[in-house]
Amino acid sequence: MSDTTPGQTDQALIRNFCIIAHIDHGKSTLADRMLQATGTVSERDMRSQYLDRMDIERERGITIKSQAVRIPYRTPLGQTYVLNLIDTPGHVDFTYEVSRSLAACEGAVLLVDAAQGIEAQTLANLYLALDNDLEIIPVLNKIDLPAAQPERFAEELSHIIGCDESDVLRVSAKTGEGVAELLDRVVEVIPAPSGDPQAPARALIFDSVYDTYRGVVTYVRMVDGALAQRDRIRMMSTRATHETLELGVISPEPVPASGIRAGEVGYLITGVKDVRQSRVGDTVTSERDPAAVSLGGYQDPKPMVYSGLFPLDGSDYPDLRDALDKLKLNDAALVYEPETSAALGFGFRCGFLGLLHLEIIRERLDREFGLDLIATAPSVVYEVLLDDGSESVVTNPSEFPDGKIAAVSEPVVKATVIAPSEYVGAIMELCQSRRGALLGMDYLSPERVELRYTLPLAEIVFDFFDALKSKTRGYASLDYEPAGQQESDLVKVDILLNGEPVDAFSAIVHRDSAYNYGVAIAAKLRELIPRQQFEVPVQAAIGSRIIARETIRAIRKDVLAKCYGGDVSRKRKLLERQKEGKKRMKMVGRVEVPQEAFIAALSADNDK
Amino acid sequence: MESMADVDAVTVTAQTVRGSFGVYVHVPYCTSRCGYCDFNTYLAGSADMVELGAQWAAGVAAEISAHRRAETLAIERPVDTVFFGGGTPSLLPVPAIATVLDALAETCGIEPGAEITIEANPESVSPRNLRDLLAVGVNRLSVGMQSDDPRVLDVLDRAHQAGAAQRAVALAMQAGFTRCSLDLIYGTPGETIESWRASLAAALATEVGHISAYALAIPRGTAMARRIAAGELPMPDDDDAATKYEIADELLGAAGLDWYEVSNWAAPGQECRHNLGYWRGGDWWGLGPGAHGHVRGVRYENHKLPDRWFRGTTDGTSVARSETLDPSQRHTEHVMLATRLREGLDPAMVPQSAVQSLVEQGLLIHDDRLRLTRRGRLLGDRVVLALLE
């Protein structure tokens, strides 16, 4: 009666759970220890952050794609259980993916660093988990650290969840202390799945990954019924049908199985080549005996942030297109269309779920495809209503209409900030200056406070997080969720070089900050653009009104005074480099601008 | 406007120098280090110079006979020019100079009337020393004056007092030198326009036939670069340097010293033939630690460290690296070097469209040759880049 073969496992022996944790709070290390403690991964095959598949994930300590691993666990009493650990993304950009992963679980381990306490994103994901009725196991990690304060943070957690302080487990994922107790607790308190094994098949897609050799691998949680190899399946949102060429479980590498059934977590391969054909959140059913109602909760991914990506070397444009086409296979949220910039040449306007998503795509284009790119400042989605009643959606400031504008609205978010209480004043001041409206404030403990604000997304995309970090010496954490559009007094600021607008620097900003923006960009460009043979004015303008001006003085001398025998080679090499550099010059009207100046001016914002 | 009157004089000299054989001899010793200098120099007390000088001269002599035998470096004609540069060549005992000149005369032969220059710091010349130099064949003296302003000399860490360079030139002329040159530096932090004018006037008052004037450059890694980075000294300003260049060109030209290279001015016939060899793509040997040479499209560089170099002279490995220029590199160098000269560049070497545009921008004069205007001389880098497109 204790058959744990995939496709035959009794639901009563299954526990599906995830780990909710902040970056660096030790989620991947805890997963590693669980894999080792249960013998799922042999000592020989063990590597650090076993479940993180991409280099970027390992390096940054973040999870971008979900991952599920089937862990057979024999309790001290000798009963073998199947634990399915569903590793979830941990970033605000991927809240939807997180919600789908949570929906595939009955319980969650809330993992908190015993030296730092809970962070805003963790709290947000905890609320998501509670919304999904998950059983929560609070755990303090890193109790081996000298700075650990388990008593203090156990109290905080008990206050947040409403549990007893003694219910908070204490582990060290690093040393393995407490991991066995945690596994027992998972078996003990997380409810077994309770789907109907006899009902028509329904499986929730919680991730979908493109693999060069096998096509799309779809990760599912079987809720009702069962699926077997060679079954024809149907995607309930698109009604598309496919044949399951392979299905199985991950333990810890893919293991094909004859079938998977209610309560289990596994993967499907149907031969489709694009993750858009197998979308996160969709419900899979069988074509022969389809379910009448989907599991619900499916949403189309919606880009929140747009940025233009341009190859440094114009001849890389086709490579960039091919690379985006490839990334798209594995990323249902990535959207793009060709864009032409007078300053930057040919590129793509790309839509992303958020800043991290943007950064990851840029980094992958760089690393996996060797593309050197410039990205324009990220922009949110504006809705512009013109006097003539027509409406347009603007994702690129240079497309902001010039006509009579009746109203402009911008996306806003509900933001949560958690920080030590001594920074409350600084945070309020910052949120105020970024057009925030206070929604509420709670003390999580006498030392830590949670502040809730409505903020324009554009402010967050600009540099809010960096400003928050610097004002709170890195102690504040931030989370936010979309909260619709709001009308605002927004204007487009253009930057003119020698009277010619530079499209890459146009920005849509609140009227009150237009002047500061104009002054800052003009000053930055004055520093970055080399002097020309003539004087070059750098201006910021709203429409035809100039709001800021800097002047790049004409150059008078560039020659090296000395050129004797020993200088000739060096000087020639310098010339050859300058010749190469000249090829990368962009002409803005009569002004030669090295591409580096654009990059520096555009990236300075991101680095601030 | 540019006066072309003296171009012919330079061009005539050009005929005699073209296909010339120059010898640059590097003397790597100084008694103190100047804050702006990144040359290959090492501190040495004057007491050590007899021994150091003898060893150095033996190394140079060994290089001379080795080069003569080397297939890639051999030059089959007598030497036209010799230039002892440094460092501070005037620190060397004259017998060391004589050893080198004797070795050249013996191995290669020295052309009658050859130009033999030595660089000197003002504080290190004496009537005795000057007479001895003349006696062994040195016939041109280049004195590092830099400035006549004590504050500027102080910022530059120069060991000499204001006025010392003029006295050194006067001594040299008395001793019988007919070709003397002064080096000046402009744009030193703290130097005013008035101070620069006064330095130029002081240099001209010596009646030398040749003046070089360089904008102060701050090479990375020098003491001055550190002082500027630390905020102790202001960064030299390019606009200030441009203004001072224009002043120099004005004053020197008015005194009969016309430009023949971007940073060099001379009375007719007083041009430095050795340096013209560099700019005209001539052949020369570089001897001594860290010296550079050029023979028939091969550029080479000696080991910098005196000990390593010296060891190399005994076993034929004094050259640290060399490169053979391909035709495109030769073209780049030719355009880059010829445009620095008043005799200019053959218009057939570069695209007509680029020339046209540079002429319109007032940077270039196009007659039988292409020559930089005064503004063009200051913007020489972009002119060359445009000509190389």
Side-chain angles (χ1 to χ4, degrees), chain A residues 234-240 276 279 281-283 294 298 300:
Chain A
R234 178 186 288 171
M235 303 296 172
M236 294 188 75
S237 78
T238 59
R239 309 202 63 76
R276 281 166 182 69
R279 294 171 177 243
D282 204 349
T283 302
S294 77
Y298 175 74
D300 271 328

Side-chain angles (χ1 to χ4, degrees), chain A residues 278-301:
Chain A
S278 196
R279 294 171 177 243
V280 171
D282 204 349
T283 302
V284 181
T285 189
S286 100
E287 198 189 6
R288 191 164 35 84
D289 178 19
V293 183
S294 77
L295 293 165
Y298 175 74
Q299 285 172 21
D300 271 328

Side-chain angles (χ1 to χ4, degrees), chain A residues 140-204:
Chain A
L140 288 170
N141 188 19
K142 306 194 187 181
I143 54 165
D144 57 305
L145 288 186
Q149 295 174 273
E151 280 72 30
R152 177 179 158 199
F153 291 115
E155 187 188 339
E156 188 179 281
L157 284 182
S158 73
H159 173 80
I160 294 167
I161 309 173
C163 66
D164 198 87
E165 279 171 47
S166 61
D167 292 337
V168 179
L169 289 180
R170 288 150 202 220
V171 307
S172 164
K174 197 171 136 202
T175 66
E177 185 183 348
V179 172
E181 290 80 352
L182 172 57
L183 289 165
D184 289 336
R185 181 76 68 91
V186 167
V187 169
E188 187 190 324
V189 307
I190 294 180
S194 56
D196 180 352
Q198 309 309 325
R202 288 199 299 174
L204 171 68

Side-chain angles (χ1 to χ4, degrees), chain A residues 530 578 580-587 592-595:
Chain A
Q578 286 172 334
E580 280 308 303
K582 231 183 140 163
K583 284 188 198 153
R584 293 201 310 276
M585 290 280 187
K586 302 273 185 184
M587 295 301 294
E592 278 186 343
V593 184
Q595 206 144 27

